Each structure stands twice: as C-alpha cells, then as structure tokens.
Amino acid sequence: MSRIFGFFIIFASLAASAADLNWTGGYRLESSFIKNNNLVGSGQQEKEYFNHHLVLRPQMIVGDGITVRSKFDIFNGQNLGSQFGQFFGNNSTAGANTNSGATGTVPSETLQVNELYLTWTQGFGSFIGGRAPVQFGLGLTHNAGTGEFDHWFDVKDLVGYKVVFGNFYIFPMLAKIREDRTDIDDDINDFMVEFMYENLDTDLTLGLFYQSRASTNSGNDLLAASPYGGNTKASELDVKDFNFYVAKKLGNLSFAIETGYQSGNTGITNGVGGEEVIIEGFAVAGDLNYKAPGSAWDWNLKAGSVSGNDSSSASKYEGYLADRNYDVGMLLFNYSMGGGDILGTGSFTNLEVNKNVDVEFLSNAIYISPGTHWKWNDKWGMNGRFVYAMLSKEQFVGGGKDLGMELDLGTYYRPHERLTLKLDAGVLFPGSAFEAGAMGLESETAFGVITKAAVSF
C-alpha cells in the first residue's frame, strides 16, 4: 500500500509543473444498531457495528478543458463493490485464530481506485473516456452515489462524446463490462445513449437513457444459481433498459418522475422445460416537494411501484431492482428483514454472507412515503418520514401483500459548512407479508438507530 501512495506522490510531483492538481473528498463515520431484523418475538437478532470510509478525488487539470479525474476509496470491507467502508475491528478474519485478543492488532486496510477518466471539453461538447460514474434522473437505476452517506455507486469503463446544442444534449457511450481473453470474443459490452433537455427559463427537464447489454454465448457469465432459475447456459446475454425522466418546478412546488423498463434474454434455461428465461421488469418513482414561502418547514412525498417476480413463472423473471442508493425508508428496502425472501431479491443480496449491512433492494413493492423537514436555524434541523408499502407479487403461496408501516425521525447539526452530524431512528411495524403464509414466520416490530458524521474537503 505504501508503494502505491509513494508512486502517486512521485507522479503528482513530476506533473505539478505542467498541470494543476486539486483534491476534494470526504470522510464518513457511522454507528448502526438494528434490533429484531428477523422480526420474531423471541430470539431476536441485534446488529451493532461502526463503519468508516474515506474518499479522495484528485483532479489533474492538464490544459484548457482537459482534466483527468479519479476517485480513491480507502478502507473497503465486505467485498461488496460499494463505498460502505470498513467495520471497526475489520471482521474479514472473524472467527479465525488471529490472536487479536492477545496482540491487540487489526489488519491493514485496502485502497481501491474506482474512478479514473479523462474529460476534454470544447464549446460544442465534451469527450469522456475511462472508468467514469453514471448518473441519470432520480437515480432509480443509474446512480453515481455522490451523496454524503451513499453506500453504493455506478461506474463503467466507457468512451463517449456529449454533444451540446442549446438546451439539448445527446451523449452516446460505449462501455466494456467484462474483458476476459483478448483472443476470443467473450466480452460483455454496453451501448448507452443519454438524451437530455433542460430549460432554466421554464424549469423543465426531460431525459431519456437507453442501455443495451450484450454478450456472446461464451461471454455470458450469469450465475447458474441465479434467480433466473437455470443451471444451463444456452445462448448470449441480451438485455435492454429504458429510463425516462421528467422534472418541473412550479413556484414553491416541484416534482420529478422517473420510469424504468427492462427486457431481454438471459441466455439461461429454466431447468424445467429447457426454455430460455427472459427478463421483463418495470418501475416508476415519483418525488414531490413543497416549501411554503417564509416558512422553516418543507414537505416531500415519495411514491412508486416496482415490479416483482412471479414465482409461478419459470420462463420469465419480472422483478425490477432499483438502485440501492434510492432510499424510501431507513429500514425497509435497506436491510434484509424477516425470515424469508419476501421481496424475491435473495439471490442478489447474498443473504448468508452480506446480511450485516444495507444490501437490500427496493423491489417488488408499491409504496407511498410522505416526509417533512424542519430547519430550526442555520445549524440545526429535524426530519421525519412515514412509509407504507405492499408487495407487487406474493412470493409464497398463501402469503399476504402488506409489508407494513415505518416511522423515521432524525435530527442533524451542521456546526461548519463542511461537517454534518446526524442521528436517525426508525421503527418498522411489519405487515402480514412477512408471515409468508404456510411458512409460519413472524412479523414483530423492529427498530434501528443510526448515528452519522461526515466531513467534506
């Protein structure tokens, strides 16, 4: 690790005479306590942990309009491909005979480079090449994870050119998702196009994002034990995503809506009749905001519907997975709750290994979530949110659809423009869906408390 830092310092020093080097970043520290995430009356589970993470974003300005950007994630645990960070005490060797109690030592941590890309901007557009973040609309599907406490991010190895004309821009991109052997065609590639219209005079934004992911038969690496139900690879992967976004501001009222539609072939047979499993999922999410003039209060309403998989259909997967950064409540759709795979996302969340942290998806749900924010003064404020949700598709015969209600309350303190302290608490009153019919599971109350601190620089 010291060699990596040493190399970068030498490289930056040599380049300093020919370029300007700017640094930004942030450090995040969180403490989480989740009580009874298994939703039982006796033998309740408790999850209690600290995690922290550092992000460094050096930018090298080489010349007029030419910039090399990068992102270093420091302290990375769980191997989730996320920016969750590392547990205090580093649990990667938990259970091993490390003699930590005798020596008092903890293992060293890792540095990962998750962004490294070039931008070259001209008057009519800009070229982008490298490992770059991808963001669109509300972040329902493509989410770069730039929020203070976002645990996930979307990046791609891509090249593209954004062409700007007036209030419009079009941004075609080619991305390489997987490159294995260079002498055979076993890659996975994305072709993407983003189209956006932004009018500051009318406060109207319209956007469209198209993505086509394809591979050859040999390049298809979907897991045999995936939720697509198969154990035999039959053909190539071919999946398409369409996202549409509209946002409008009307005085003190603003709203935004994003829809996502996914369809295509997995190239995996269902293991029953030998049919190839196809994908067809849909999601819509809305965000409504209102701030009364001269008031310290503002109001928010989130509502949407995300399709779920029909477990009775062996040749089609209908579930849609919203990005994990798109949050509705503190507990629901963030933490794996209950004793069964109620949302039908278990194959993606890898429940046995990563159930410790917020790996759950917003999926298979119809929800409504009103919230409020009260700003006492320039430094203090409070927020509250109520969530009600129900399943789109029952995953178990005889199970109910009611996911229940959640109440979240929080307060924050910003003693400095670059420092944020937060305390959030949430209570989940689970519904009958968690009882999963004949499975005989329980649906007792769960709650959580999360303390957060973030420093930006």
Side-chain angles (χ1 to χ4, degrees), residues 162-176:
K162 180 188 289 186
V163 182
V164 180
F165 40 97
N167 294 327
F168 299 85
Y169 74 76
I170 185 169
F171 187 14
M173 294 164 277
L174 289 174
K176 180 76 69 174

Side-chain angles (χ1 to χ4, degrees), residues 108-130:
S108 59
E109 302 302 339
T110 61
L111 178 150
Q112 295 177 359
V113 182
N114 284 309
E115 293 179 17
L116 181 60
Y117 62 102
L118 166 71
T119 61
W120 179 23
T121 303
Q122 302 92 38
F124 49 82
S126 57
F127 167 82
I128 297 177

Side-chain angles (χ1 to χ4, degrees), residues 182-199:
T182 58
D183 58 339
I184 60 175
D185 187 9
D186 60 353
D187 307 336
I188 300 177
N189 301 301
D190 278 0
F191 171 69
M192 299 171 289
V193 177
E194 181 183 4
F195 175 83
M196 189 70 71
Y197 169 78
E198 297 174 300
N199 191 323

Side-chain angles (χ1 to χ4, degrees), residues 145-167:
T146 57
E148 276 186 317
F149 300 102
D150 284 347
H151 287 169
W152 302 89
F153 59 85
D154 290 345
V155 295
K156 295 180 186 289
D157 290 337
L158 60 85
V159 291
Y161 196 91
K162 180 188 289 186
V163 182
V164 180
F165 40 97
N167 294 327

Side-chain angles (χ1 to χ4, degrees), residues 151-375:
H151 287 169
W152 302 89
F153 59 85
D154 290 345
V155 295
K156 295 180 186 289
D157 290 337
L158 60 85
V159 291
Y161 196 91
K162 180 188 289 186
V163 182
V164 180
F165 40 97
N167 294 327
F168 299 85
Y169 74 76
I170 185 169
F171 187 14
M173 294 164 277
L174 289 174
K176 180 76 69 174
I177 304 302
R178 176 177 180 264
E179 174 73 66
D180 197 358
R181 291 181 55 179
T182 58
D183 58 339
I184 60 175
D185 187 9
D186 60 353
D187 307 336
I188 300 177
N189 301 301
D190 278 0
F191 171 69
M192 299 171 289
V193 177
E194 181 183 4
F195 175 83
M196 189 70 71
Y197 169 78
E198 297 174 300
N199 191 323
L200 298 180
D201 294 329
T202 60
D203 291 314
L204 174 65
T205 301
L206 297 170
L208 176 68
F209 197 103
Y210 168 76
Q211 174 182 288
S212 175
R213 177 166 297 173
S215 77
T216 60
N217 193 340
S218 58
N220 190 346
D221 65 351
L222 287 183
L223 298 177
S226 73
Y228 308 123
N231 52 15
T232 303
K233 182 166 60 175
S235 65
E236 65 276 1
L237 171 69
D238 183 13
V239 177
K240 295 174 173 58
D241 286 89
F242 297 86
N243 285 74
F244 178 75
Y245 173 72
V246 58
K248 174 69 176 175
K249 185 176 181 181
L250 301 167
N252 298 309
L253 182 69
S254 64
F255 72 90
I257 299 174
E258 183 177 353
T259 63
Y261 175 71
Q262 184 179 71
S263 64
N265 300 314
T266 65
I268 303 294
T269 62
N270 59 26
V272 180
E275 298 177 275
E276 288 190 34
V277 179
I278 64 173
I279 298 174
E280 188 172 9
F282 178 80
V284 57
D287 199 334
L288 180 69
N289 297 279
Y290 175 75
K291 181 173 178 58
S295 172
W297 291 84
D298 56 79
W299 308 87
N300 169 263
L301 175 66
K302 292 185 176 183
S305 176
V306 186
S307 65
N309 184 41
D310 184 353
S311 57
S312 65
S313 173
S315 60
K316 181 186 289 189
Y317 182 80
E318 299 94 343
Y320 195 98
L321 304 178
D323 191 281
R324 286 161 162 160
N325 284 329
Y326 189 78
D327 291 335
V328 175
M330 191 185 95
L331 298 174
L332 200 58
F333 310 119
N334 272 329
Y335 293 87
S336 298
M337 311 299 291
D341 185 14
I342 304 302
L343 299 178
T345 59
S347 297
F348 297 100
T349 57
N350 196 1
L351 295 179
E352 296 301 319
V353 177
N354 298 322
K355 204 172 180 178
N356 293 309
V357 297
D358 59 333
V359 299
E360 189 57 270
F361 292 91
L362 169 58
S363 181
N364 190 19
I366 302 169
Y367 64 90
I368 184 168
S369 175
T372 186
H373 169 229
W374 177 28
K375 189 176 182 180

